[in-house]
Amino acid sequence: MMNQGGAKNERCFVLRAAMAFLLIGIAAAKAQGVTLNQYLEQVKTDSASYKGQSMAAEGNNLEAREADLLFTPKLFAEFNTGHDGKPSQPKMYDRVNTETYMLGVSQQFDFGLQSKLYYQMQKTTFDNAGSAFTMSKYWDATPKLELSMPVWGNGFGRTAQANEELLRAGNYAEQYQASYQSTAFLAQAEAAYWKLSAWSDVVKIQETASKSAQDILNYVNRKRGMNLGEQADVVQARALVEGRGLELQMARNEQREALRNFNKFLNRPATTPVDGLETVPYAELEKITVPQSRPGERYDVKATQAQLQTAKANAMIAKERNRPTLDIYANYALNGRDDSYSEAMKNAGYTDTDTGYIGMRFNMPLNFGAAGDAKAGADKSVRAAEYNREYALYAQEQDWINLTQNLTDARDNLVLLGKIEQAQKTKLDVERTRLRQGRTTTYQVLLFEQDYSAAALNRVKSAANILGLQSQIKLYQASPEEGK
């Protein structure tokens, strides 16, 4: 019996231990809260703004493939049926009825040639045909080849090539703009994460400072009550309490605003609480390495290059559209006719009944002034896009220099603020030791606590500034190639 009871107690102990470990694990997971990477992944999943921007970029990238369709073969088909009841002279029939079927392939080549190769079947029927008609119903079978080549306006495919570039570059420009917005959105989300984390420390420091101010007021009130202090000290201490209370209230207001901003990136209700965030890594921030070279171009700057290509393509189209056109064309067809469509198709295989011709088409606008203005306007549009591109590259370089310099200065400031905070803490610890030895006053210790709180507060805000600057570096990450 004792053995059975001991085994039972052992099983209960193991079960309780397992439950305890499970509860500890759950509590630890809850205490850990949300890491930065988890938060950014949630933003990508839950934010309608981010999903809209990233999906727009993906859509523009896919739409750029439309340019590939300009020079690919196209299958075409056509059917029509109708009649013609105009009276003939001399009158030989009452009405002619036709049915036409076409099936073929067309293609525009990038060097300007436009081609069609198709088969046409046409059925012709004459109502009440006279005796002079050998066939009142017959089929025409006609395989045809049509070629056309522009040699002046749009010569050798310049307009077609410009249209291809216009479609491709226009979609890339929109893709880059959307990619920049989504990248900037994530950078802002990262800054929002760290601000909420940092302002938790700010509130704690302000609470400590507020309590210290209240302790000072209590101290001078006691001294005044024993006629050992001045009323002026009480008034000054009360003003300090009010000031620290205001600073604490402002810190809490900013913390609530940071929480609302944090939740905004997740499409959540503004006041949804957060279990816990990563703490600000102060020691690591003092040792960060500032990049010396820019990792890549920002997406908005890459967009200016695509916009320049778009402007050049538009200018080319405008110039070619207003030039004189001279097209050389040629058509060739084989012909077969019979009252049976199968025999008509068989007869179409012989060249003794073929049809062929070549020709030229010319067209020229006569308003030379308007054509010249249109050309000048197109050139100005290209030059304007070049200026925009040139300035975007310059501004990007200046922004990068400012960012890295600000990051370097903020890091150096954080190191100094850390030393100041440590010095203030050392000063406070020494003064507390002196108080225990009866060599100083409580009032002096409380004043030193205020100095220490101010130094700690400056350090927290400086660290938050560094984290915000670091998030902007992601805007300069090397960008993927077009169409990737």
Side-chain angles (χ1 to χ4, degrees):
M1 293 295 294
M2 291 295 296
N3 290 338
Q4 292 180 354
K8 182 177 181 181
N9 290 336
E10 184 178 354
R11 287 195 298 270
C12 290
F13 174 77
V14 172
L15 181 60
R16 286 196 297 268
M19 291 295 295
F21 280 118
L22 178 61
L23 292 174
I24 291 172
I26 293 174
K30 184 176 181 180
Q32 183 181 5
V34 181
T35 66
L36 174 62
N37 289 335
Q38 289 172 342
Y39 175 65
L40 294 180
E41 288 302 318
Q42 288 180 16
V43 170
K44 293 178 182 179
T45 302
D46 299 339
S47 172
S49 178
Y50 177 82
K51 288 191 289 188
Q53 293 158 0
S54 58
M55 190 169 295
E58 293 173 3
N60 292 134
N61 187 35
L62 294 174
E63 286 180 18
R65 291 293 312 279
E66 184 181 356
D68 297 335
L69 299 177
L70 288 177
F71 302 121
T72 57
K74 297 177 178 63
L75 178 69
F76 70 91
E78 182 179 342
F79 164 75
N80 66 71
T81 181
H83 67 273
D84 185 359
K86 292 193 303 290
S88 60
Q89 294 295 332
K91 184 175 178 59
M92 303 177 67
Y93 54 85
D94 290 341
R95 188 173 73 170
V96 58
N97 305 298
T98 58
E99 294 178 16
T100 305
Y101 307 85
M102 284 192 296
L103 179 65
V105 177
S106 65
Q107 184 171 3
Q108 180 177 358
F109 295 90
D110 58 1
F111 56 87
L113 180 66
Q114 299 180 28
S115 63
K116 279 186 176 182
L117 177 62
Y118 61 97
Y119 208 100
Q120 177 177 306
M121 293 290 295
Q122 183 173 28
K123 178 183 179 182
T124 305
T125 304
F126 296 94
D127 293 344
N128 298 322
S131 57
F133 276 78
T134 56
M135 288 188 295
S136 60
K137 180 185 74 171
Y138 57 84
W139 287 87
D140 284 314
T142 312
K144 290 186 178 181
L145 174 64
E146 297 180 3
L147 302 174
S148 178
M149 182 71 177
V151 295
W152 196 342
N154 187 28
F156 305 101
R158 287 190 294 267
T159 298
Q161 295 167 16
N163 277 321
E164 179 189 31
E165 184 65 20
L166 182 63
L167 280 172
R168 200 182 305 279
N171 279 292
Y172 283 150
E174 295 182 12
Q175 175 196 356
Y176 292 141
Q177 288 289 5
S179 295
Y180 178 75
Q181 291 172 3
S182 61
T183 305
F185 190 84
L186 284 181
Q188 294 166 6
E190 181 174 340
Y193 178 94
W194 286 121
K195 182 173 183 180
L196 181 57
S197 176
W199 249 248
S200 298
D201 293 343
V202 168
V203 169
K204 292 176 184 177
I205 293 171
Q206 293 289 19
E207 287 173 345
T208 301
S210 181
K211 181 180 181 303
S212 176
Q214 185 62 48
D215 290 341
I216 291 176
L217 177 60
N218 295 339
Y219 176 80
V220 296
N221 268 328
R222 287 195 302 272
K223 298 281 287 185
R224 181 72 183 88
M226 294 183 293
N227 292 323
L228 298 176
E230 300 291 336
Q231 181 63 28
D233 293 336
V234 176
V235 173
Q236 184 178 3
R238 185 172 289 113
L240 179 62
V241 169
E242 296 296 333
R244 292 292 181 262
L246 175 61
E247 291 173 356
L248 175 58
Q249 179 178 330
M250 293 174 61
R252 286 172 174 168
N253 290 340
E254 290 190 50
Q255 184 185 35
R256 285 192 288 268
E257 181 184 2
L259 176 62
R260 293 194 295 270
N261 197 37
F262 178 94
N263 287 324
K264 183 184 72 174
F265 288 98
L266 297 175
N267 273 41
R268 296 196 310 201
T271 57
T272 302
V274 179
D275 290 337
L277 303 177
E278 294 182 32
T279 57
V280 177
Y282 299 99
E284 295 177 11
L285 293 178
E286 293 180 1
K287 302 175 183 178
I288 60 171
T289 301
V290 179
Q292 296 300 314
S293 59
R294 184 165 41 83
E297 283 192 350
R298 294 196 313 241
Y299 278 116
D300 61 328
V301 177
K302 289 180 71 69
T304 61
Q305 176 61 38
Q307 289 164 356
L308 174 58
Q309 294 170 333
T310 300
K312 289 180 178 179
N314 270 321
M316 177 63 71
I317 293 171
K319 291 177 182 179
E320 296 300 321
R321 186 170 56 237
N322 295 294
R323 281 180 175 172
T325 60
L326 178 63
D327 298 344
I328 300 174
Y329 62 90
N331 293 344
Y332 184 77
L334 299 176
N335 302 289
R337 174 176 292 181
D338 198 271
D339 57 359
S340 168
Y341 77 89
S342 58
E343 288 297 321
M345 293 177 65
K346 185 184 300 184
N347 294 337
Y350 303 101
T351 58
D352 54 347
T353 57
D354 62 347
T355 301
Y357 55 89
I358 60 173
M360 299 175 64
R361 287 187 292 262
F362 177 75
N363 191 0
M364 182 178 69
L366 297 179
N367 192 337
F368 301 111
D373 289 344
K375 179 179 181 298
D379 289 335
K380 287 182 179 295
S381 296
V382 172
R383 190 60 184 143
E386 289 174 346
Y387 282 133
N388 290 338
R389 170 67 174 169
E390 180 181 338
Y391 178 76
L393 290 171
Y394 166 79
Q396 175 183 240
E397 196 60 35
Q398 296 305 307
D399 291 344
W400 175 255
I401 293 173
N402 288 336
L403 176 59
T404 53
Q405 187 59 55
N406 290 339
L407 191 55
T408 301
D409 294 343
R411 179 197 60 193
D412 296 342
N413 291 342
L414 183 64
V415 173
L416 293 176
L417 288 170
K419 293 179 179 179
I420 292 173
E421 181 187 6
Q422 185 60 42
Q424 293 289 358
K425 185 177 186 304
T426 301
K427 184 178 73 171
L428 176 60
D429 291 340
V430 169
E431 201 66 17
R432 283 171 175 167
T433 301
R434 294 181 70 227
L435 178 64
R436 287 193 296 269
Q437 296 171 350
R439 299 168 57 193
T440 188
T441 63
T442 302
Y443 182 76
Q444 191 69 18
V445 172
L446 294 174
L447 288 178
F448 284 3
E449 286 181 352
Q450 292 289 302
D451 294 339
Y452 174 63
S453 296
L457 182 62
N458 288 334
R459 184 170 181 244
V460 171
K461 291 184 176 180
S462 179
N465 180 43
I466 292 177
L467 290 167
L469 291 172
Q470 275 190 315
S471 68
Q472 296 181 29
I473 293 180
K474 295 182 178 180
L475 300 178
Y476 297 86
Q477 298 300 318
S479 307
E481 295 298 323
E482 295 175 347
K484 299 297 185 184

